[in-house]
Structures are given as structure tokens and as C-alpha cells.
């Protein structure tokens, strides 16, 4: 595999560029939380965390944490003007009521039809499906942030998920360490890729066919 790939921070930055002004956005546990650090200037998305905060901001500086203010991943957050707190049942009312514009999550696998697997049982990773099952079917749009391949080199974008499913046909866009890929009509449609990677190499690291419609943009991000 090419050594050229984006860092988690760069993947989060790229995903943040697609969040519209005023959008209500849930950020999943793990590095999707980093998206809050890269809000585009002039836009004011409203970030939601399923344990009961609306309109939280970036993580506080080290040593300035208020541990009464945490997200669903138990990470310290800051608050924006107008932030609100509520019971977790009300938080899931927001999720299940279709009030979220975007849910951004991590993944173990994404299938070409949009199926998502992002949990497993055992002693590693999130030990249960949690609220993700509600999020992926309650939000209007579901985006996934992930490395393009697993630590063992196996593709994470596959024809069919082999891990337990979080949701069926729910993912609309995947931001990986190598590319930006939409899911349309049961296919992976390549939108952007790193300029230093050939189509052949990218396809070799993907477990299902990549389709091209029109031109493929350059996946360009700042150094972070």
C-alpha cells in the first residue's frame, strides 16, 4: 500500500467542508468528534451529542476541561452561545424524530449498498451498538469517516459486510484516508482521490468496484 494517506484530522477537516450553515449534526464516538474542530468560517452548524447537549463546540485546551461537560464518548467539550441540555430520552426524540440533518460516524465496514457495520461484541471497540442504530436511520444524511483499509490491510469498503450491521442501506458518503466516495444506486461512486494514487492502486485497496461518473476531483487538504 502507498504510504501516502490522510491523517484522521485531515479526514475530519474534509468532512467538515460539506457541513452546511445551520445544519444539525451528530458527531459519533471516536475521531468523528474532531469534525467540531474544523467548522468552516462563516458557518454555524449545531452539533448534537446523544447524551443530551445541543450546540457544543470544539474540545477545550488541555487543562481547561470541565468534566461536567462531556459528549457521548466521555470527551470534554465546550459550549456555544445558546447551548442547551436535556434528558437522554429527549435527545433520542431529536434523533428518531428526523431532526438531524447529518450523522457522522466511524466504521468497521461499509458495503456498496450503504450497509454500515461499526460495532462488535468482545473486548475491543464499542461493546454494543448503542445509539448508532437510531442515528443512521434518523438522520437525513449519514457520512462515514474511516481509514480506507483495516490495520491488517483488509478493505473496509466491501461488497457485503461480514460484521454485525448497525444499519441497512443508510450511508450516503464515505470520507476515507485515500478518497471521497458516494453511495448511489447500490454502488461506490468515486468523487475525489489523492493525486499521488493511481486508480488501479485505489481499486486494489477497495473490496468492491469503484465507479466513475464524470471527472474525479483531487482530494486536497491542509497540513494539520
Amino acid at each position: 500500500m502507498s504510504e501516502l494517506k490522510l491523517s484522521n484530522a485531515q479526514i475530519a477537516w474534509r468532512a467538515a467542508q460539506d457541513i452546511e450553515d445551520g445544519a444539525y449534526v451528530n458527531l459519533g464516538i471516536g475521531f468523528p468528534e474532531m469534525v467540531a474542530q474544523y467548522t468552516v468560517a462563516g458557518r454555524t452548524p449545531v452539533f448534537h451529542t446523544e447524551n443530551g447537549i445541543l450546540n457544543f463546540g470544539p474540545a477545550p485546551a488541555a487543562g481547561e476541561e470541565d468534566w461536567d461537560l462531556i459528549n457521548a464518548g466521555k470527551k470534554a467539550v465546550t459550549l456555544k452561545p445558546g447551548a442547551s441540555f436535556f434528558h437522554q430520552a429527549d435527545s433520542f426524540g431529536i434523533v428518531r424524530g428526523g431532526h438531524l440533518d447529518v450523522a457522522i460516524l466511524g466504521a468497521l465496514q461499509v458495503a456498496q449498498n450503504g450497509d454500515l457495520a461499526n460495532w462488535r461484541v468482545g473486548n475491543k471497540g464499542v461493546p454494543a451498538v448503542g445509539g448508532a442504530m437510531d442515528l443512521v436511520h434518523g438522520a437525513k444524511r449519514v457520512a462515514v469517516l474511516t481509514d480506507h483499509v483495516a490495520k491488517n490491510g483488509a478493505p473496509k469498503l466491501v461488497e457485503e459486510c461480514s460484521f454485525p450491521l448497525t444499519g441497512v442501506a443508510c450511508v450516503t458518503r464515505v470520507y476515507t484516508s485515500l478518497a471521497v466516495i458516494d453511495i448511489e444506486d447500490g454502488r461506490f461512486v468515486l468523487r475525489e482521490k489523492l493525486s499521488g494514487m493511481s486508480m488501479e492502486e485505489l481499486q486494489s485497496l477497495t473490496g468492491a468496484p469503484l465507479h466513475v461518473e464524470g471527472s474525479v476531483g483531487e482530494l486536497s487538504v491542509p497540513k494539520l
Side-chain angles (χ1 to χ4, degrees):
M1 175 181 173
S2 170
E3 295 300 318
L4 180 68
K5 70 173 190 174
L6 302 187
S7 66
N8 286 355
Q10 289 173 315
I11 300 171
W13 179 92
R14 176 62 190 84
Q17 308 313 296
D18 290 342
I19 297 176
E20 297 179 349
D21 184 35
Y24 285 79
V25 184
N26 180 278
L27 302 179
I29 293 172
F31 90 83
E33 298 166 349
M34 299 173 71
V35 171
Q37 306 289 115
Y38 302 113
T39 297
V40 176
R43 299 182 193 174
T44 55
V46 179
F47 292 118
H48 165 272
T49 177
E50 64 195 64
N51 60 319
I53 306 176
L54 198 62
N55 209 22
F56 69 88
E64 297 182 9
E65 299 91 347
D66 179 346
W67 292 107
D68 287 326
L69 302 177
I70 61 172
N71 61 21
K74 302 179 182 178
K75 305 285 181 59
V77 297
T78 57
L79 300 178
K80 296 179 181 179
S84 59
F85 306 89
F86 33 85
H87 192 280
Q88 190 166 9
D90 295 319
S91 182
F92 274 85
I94 292 173
V95 175
R96 295 169 181 167
H99 303 292
L100 291 176
D101 295 300
V102 188
I104 301 178
L105 305 92
L108 297 173
Q109 293 175 328
V110 179
Q112 61 187 346
N113 71 334
D115 288 355
L116 171 66
N118 77 339
W119 68 285
R120 65 174 67 180
V121 295
N123 59 3
K124 292 184 179 180
V126 178
V129 69
M133 185 176 287
D134 297 272
L135 285 165
V136 298
H137 291 297
K140 296 179 179 71
R141 181 166 70 86
V142 176
V144 163
L145 311 189
T146 182
D147 203 337
H148 203 86
V149 299
K151 291 181 179 179
N152 64 1
K156 298 183 76 169
L157 277 63
V158 295
E159 290 186 349
E160 185 175 340
C161 293
S162 58
F163 293 138
L165 293 185
T166 304
V168 175
C170 56
V171 179
T172 52
R173 172 165 280 201
V174 185
Y175 301 88
T176 84
S177 50
L178 304 177
V180 176
I181 297 168
D182 284 338
I183 294 174
E184 297 180 354
D185 301 321
R187 306 176 303 157
F188 288 132
V189 179
L190 181 63
R191 299 302 184 193
E192 300 175 12
K193 69 175 184 65
L194 293 177
S195 60
M197 172 163 285
S198 69
M199 279 293 301
E200 291 75 17
E201 184 176 12
L202 182 61
Q203 182 62 75
S204 73
L205 298 169
T206 308
L210 290 170
H211 298 268
V212 174
E213 296 180 354
S215 60
V216 175
E218 179 181 348
L219 178 50
S220 178
V221 302
K223 293 182 179 180
L224 298 171

